[in-house]
Amino acid sequence: MTTTTPPADPSRAYQEFVKGIWKENPAFVQVLGMCPTLAVTNSAINALAMGSATMVVLMCSSLLISLIGRFVPNQVRISTYVVVIATLVTVVDFTLQALAPAVHKELGAFLALIVVNCLILGRAEAFAAKNPPGLAVLDALGMGIGFTFALSCLGMLREVLGNGSLFGFDLFGPSFEPWVVMVLPPGGFLVLGVILLLFSVFGTRKAS
Amino acid sequence: MSDLELPPEPGSLRLVATLTIAGLLAGLMLAGAYAITLPTIEANAAAALRDAVFQVVPGTRAMQKLVLAGDHFVLADGKEAKDAVAVYAAYGDGGAFLGFAIPGQGPGFQDTIKLLYGYDPARKVVVGLQILESRETPGLGDKIFKDPAFGREFTSLAVEPDIVVVKSGTGSAPHHVDGISGATISSKAVVRILVTQNQHLLARLPTGDAVPKAPAQGSR
Amino acid sequence: MSDLVWIFISALVVNNFTLSYFLGLCPFFGVSGKLVTAFRLGIATTFVLLITSIATWTLNTFVLERFPYLRLLAFIVVIASAVQFVEMVIKKTSPALFAALGIFLPLITTNCAVLGLALFQTSRGYGFWQGIAFALGGGGGLTLALVLMASLREEARLSDVPAVVRGTAFNLLLAGILAMAFMGFAGLLST
């Protein structure tokens, strides 16, 4: 926060930023954007790349939508948001293709599918359009970090279990028999299922 | 969205104007981003292709693209159809013709396998193989590109009679490929792609003097 | 011809849209509570997929060759229009179904499966009939997954599942088991 913000603001800003990381984590708590959550988290590096790309798109779209929100008539707001998001995703897609072709090839069509990630349109509609740009970006940053964190957790878990490696480095040596199904599609469902289960177990324990 | 009863509409002109402006701005931004990134993207793709060709035909120093026109191959002039059947002629030191790199694709165990292989017409052998794209099972089917032993099967592999997969360790003839145990289907899928392409293309490849000369130094 | 069969079967079971490519998970978990609704949504989505496939082919062949950077934007617009069109058709022909599907009908627009179909069709360079086969297989696969999931959940409602497990976690685990069953189809097309 800059020192010019009014005294009441920093705590609000801090809250908007922090909530997405854990309490309202988009992937683990709200269970949004499942398609990329499961499809590209078969390795830690893919998960990190996908999370970061989503975060960039989310921040830019939140900023833009917060700026233009007032001028867009209610009836065409969703269409306008989608145009904004699709444009940003295409730009990110081109950039990644130019700078990191290997990562781009791994993510493939799933990168473009960020457009229909409910998380981005959801934040635009629920938060960015109604809040000033500063708060919108903070909210997006928090949500983005939370999403990237969740994806990385899944990616790391699945890579360690299913491939015996982390970020491509071999962890256990040749004697390790990898649990291959974990890097295959069913592993995505199972690992996320178990994580959500743990969340709900601890949630109930805390409540009681 | 559209068929809900909405409070007083702000003239449809304004709606259209908003979307038009948004669309125009988006178009401009995209055209800009495209113009900036396209050279790098094309250079990346070209570099990846060169690497692959240089790997499957050992000793390559230069290459050029040939496309199928009718029933023989001609030098690509950049105007050929996007889906034209293509092979790449590979040249070594001093412009000596080494062989062709031939792309192929077909169904694997899980999904389509895309590959590129090198063919030496003088010896009638496959000289190298690279899997470009596949979704084979990790730990089993993915040995078609992760297991160097499987790759070595394709460094001097006769194409006549047709290549066959045999049980691991029993391959003796020059046209035998040792299958990967536990991934027989993936091994067979790779070989089937090669055999199909061989039957389809080998007879049409240019021979002798018909082989285009190596590209001039510097232009690759 | 065999090419078309291959594409159809591949999208239907071997590389099932939902269970192997994770496309269309929102309705997969959202609408799979009741068998009948699940089936109808599957059919509606298949119809949208079919229209999208034809539109994608048209765009790719006649327009996007010259403006490749507008691809994503164009796809989204086409999909939104296709969904609107299907919405109108269903409203006219079967008001009951329209009411049953409710909010999930317009939500087909943000169904990853529809945009995914357009993108995969483009990146794999499918022609017109290949696109149709892909859309029918993909839609069929999606419907199959929805129906199986809905049947499982209807059964599970009668069984004694601990309260903490119920909800999304339980559905995810069910989906995981279903996806594992579908792994058995691998190799079907290459033997």
Side-chain angles (χ1 to χ4, degrees):
Chain A
M1 289 328 83
T2 51
T3 45
T4 50
T5 25
D9 246 5
S11 72
R12 162 98 199 275
Y14 177 73
Q15 266 176 20
E16 300 297 1
F17 170 63
V18 156
K19 69 175 189 292
I21 299 177
W22 186 254
K23 217 171 77 206
E24 292 178 27
N25 186 297
F28 287 158
V29 180
Q30 306 184 54
V31 203
L32 287 175
M34 295 243 276
C35 167
T37 317
L38 298 174
V40 301
T41 51
N42 51 6
S43 80
I45 190 80
N46 286 357
L48 198 61
M50 186 67 175
S52 317
T54 311
M55 182 157 74
V56 170
V57 173
L58 183 57
M59 285 178 63
C60 296
S61 77
S62 280
L63 177 65
L64 282 174
I65 286 164
S66 164
L67 287 172
I68 63 169
R70 271 173 300 150
F71 308 110
V72 179
N74 208 29
Q75 286 85 346
V76 292
R77 67 177 196 291
I78 301 280
S79 323
T80 316
Y81 299 165
V82 170
V83 168
V84 169
I85 296 169
T87 310
L88 290 169
V89 172
T90 313
V91 172
V92 168
D93 187 278
F94 286 158
T95 314
L96 204 58
Q97 206 173 344
L99 299 181
V103 176
H104 183 268
K105 193 185 161 199
E106 281 288 316
L107 298 181
F110 288 102
L111 194 64
L113 282 175
I114 295 179
V115 178
V116 284
N117 187 333
C118 333
L119 170 64
I120 296 177
L121 198 56
R123 287 334 283 174
E125 175 76 351
F127 197 91
K130 301 172 196 150
N131 285 285
L135 278 185
V137 170
L138 275 180
D139 169 76
L141 184 65
M143 288 290 166
I145 292 176
F147 190 66
T148 311
F149 166 73
L151 253 67
S152 305
C153 279
L154 272 169
M156 289 193 283
L157 258 173
R158 288 179 67 188
E159 195 182 335
V160 169
L161 292 174
N163 201 26
S165 63
L166 192 58
F167 289 103
F169 295 107
D170 207 344
L171 289 183
F172 306 117
S175 59
F176 177 75
E177 185 62 44
W179 196 359
V180 173
V181 77
M182 286 303 159
V183 288
L184 294 175
F189 289 113
L190 294 177
V191 173
L192 185 60
V194 169
I195 291 179
L196 291 187
L197 190 61
L198 291 178
F199 262 73
S200 113
V201 167
F202 286 118
T204 2
R205 192 165 291 172
K206 229 182 210 172
S208 64
Chain B
M1 297 170 259
S2 58
D3 32 46
L4 296 175
E5 301 269 54
L6 287 162
E9 289 206 10
S12 53
L13 193 67
R14 197 170 149 219
L15 301 186
V16 175
T18 310
L19 279 180
T20 317
I21 293 172
L24 277 178
L25 287 179
L28 273 178
M29 199 169 153
L30 288 178
Y34 185 67
I36 294 169
T37 51
L38 187 66
T40 327
I41 292 173
E42 281 184 337
N44 285 342
L49 179 68
R50 274 168 53 88
D51 285 350
V53 171
F54 282 28
Q55 201 202 323
V56 296
V57 185
T60 305
R61 294 279 172 273
M63 57 179 265
Q64 53 190 344
K65 185 177 180 183
L66 308 180
V67 288
L68 192 61
D71 66 348
H72 62 283
F73 280 91
V74 293
L75 262 181
D77 52 5
K79 279 179 241 143
E80 71 278 1
K82 241 184 182 168
D83 53 354
V85 177
V87 299
Y88 303 90
Y91 307 88
D93 287 323
F97 173 67
L98 294 176
F100 297 101
I102 307 173
Q105 64 174 40
F109 185 61
Q110 180 71 250
D111 213 335
T112 305
I113 297 176
K114 284 187 185 166
L115 53 76
L116 185 76
Y117 65 99
Y119 172 66
D120 178 356
R123 291 188 292 145
K124 289 198 190 321
V125 290
V126 169
V127 290
L129 169 76
Q130 193 176 20
I131 308 290
L132 303 175
E133 223 177 286
S134 79
R135 280 185 75 217
E136 301 306 281
T137 323
L140 296 170
D142 69 349
K143 285 187 187 156
I144 56 172
F145 61 92
K146 282 197 175 151
D147 187 353
F150 188 67
R152 277 197 295 275
E153 294 288 314
F154 295 87
T155 49
S156 182
L157 181 65
V159 298
E160 284 170 5
D162 279 344
I163 308 167
V164 287
V165 179
V166 296
K167 210 173 159 212
S168 183
T170 61
S172 46
H175 69 289
H176 281 179
V177 169
D178 270 7
I180 302 166
S181 58
T184 321
I185 295 179
S186 300
S187 326
K188 280 188 175 162
V190 169
V191 166
R192 190 178 305 124
I193 297 169
L194 258 63
V195 170
T196 315
Q197 288 298 81
N198 285 343
Q199 287 168 349
H200 184 55
L201 296 178
L202 289 196
R204 294 172 176 176
L205 290 174
T207 49
D209 289 342
V211 176
K213 292 282 163 284
Q217 213 61 39
S219 78
R220 285 165 162 179
Chain C
M1 189 60 212
S2 68
D3 185 33
L4 295 185
V5 175
W6 190 84
I7 291 175
F8 176 77
I9 303 284
S10 169
L12 184 69
V13 287
V14 182
N15 294 298
N16 185 282
F17 260 36
T18 308
L19 295 170
S20 175
Y21 274 102
F22 304 106
L23 297 172
L25 286 182
C26 292
F28 181 65
F29 290 113
V31 201
S32 60
K34 259 184 88 189
L35 186 54
V36 188
T37 329
F39 179 70
R40 284 178 179 161
L41 185 74
I43 300 296
T45 312
T46 308
F47 194 57
V48 175
L49 285 175
L50 208 56
I51 299 177
T52 307
S53 168
I54 295 170
T56 303
W57 178 82
T58 316
L59 278 175
N60 278 338
T61 319
F62 299 111
V63 187
L64 293 176
E65 190 85 334
R66 259 187 292 164
F67 309 102
Y69 47 87
L70 290 183
R71 180 159 285 141
L72 205 50
L73 212 53
F75 285 171
I76 284 284
V77 172
V78 161
I79 291 168
S81 323
V83 172
Q84 285 269 309
F85 175 71
V86 171
E87 216 177 321
M88 271 163 19
V89 169
I90 295 186
K91 206 174 173 185
K92 279 262 165 61
T93 52
S94 161
L97 176 58
F98 184 77
L101 291 178
I103 181 73
F104 284 101
L105 203 50
L107 275 185
I108 296 179
T109 313
T110 50
N111 186 330
C112 315
V114 185
L115 185 59
L117 172 103
L119 293 168
F120 280 115
Q121 187 179 334
T122 308
S123 71
R124 293 174 188 177
Y126 284 163
F128 182 78
W129 291 109
Q130 289 173 317
I132 300 279
F134 190 47
L136 287 177
L142 201 113
T143 313
L144 185 64
L146 265 170
V147 165
L148 286 174
M149 187 66 181
S151 324
L152 281 176
R153 282 179 63 182
E154 283 196 352
E155 286 297 314
R157 203 166 297 138
L158 303 173
S159 53
D160 189 15
V161 181
V164 273
V165 191
R166 285 194 181 277
T168 320
F170 181 65
N171 295 339
L172 274 165
L173 293 176
L174 271 185
I177 296 167
L178 211 52
M180 258 196 269
F182 268 71
M183 273 173 64
F185 287 113
L188 184 69
L189 295 165
S190 56
T191 36

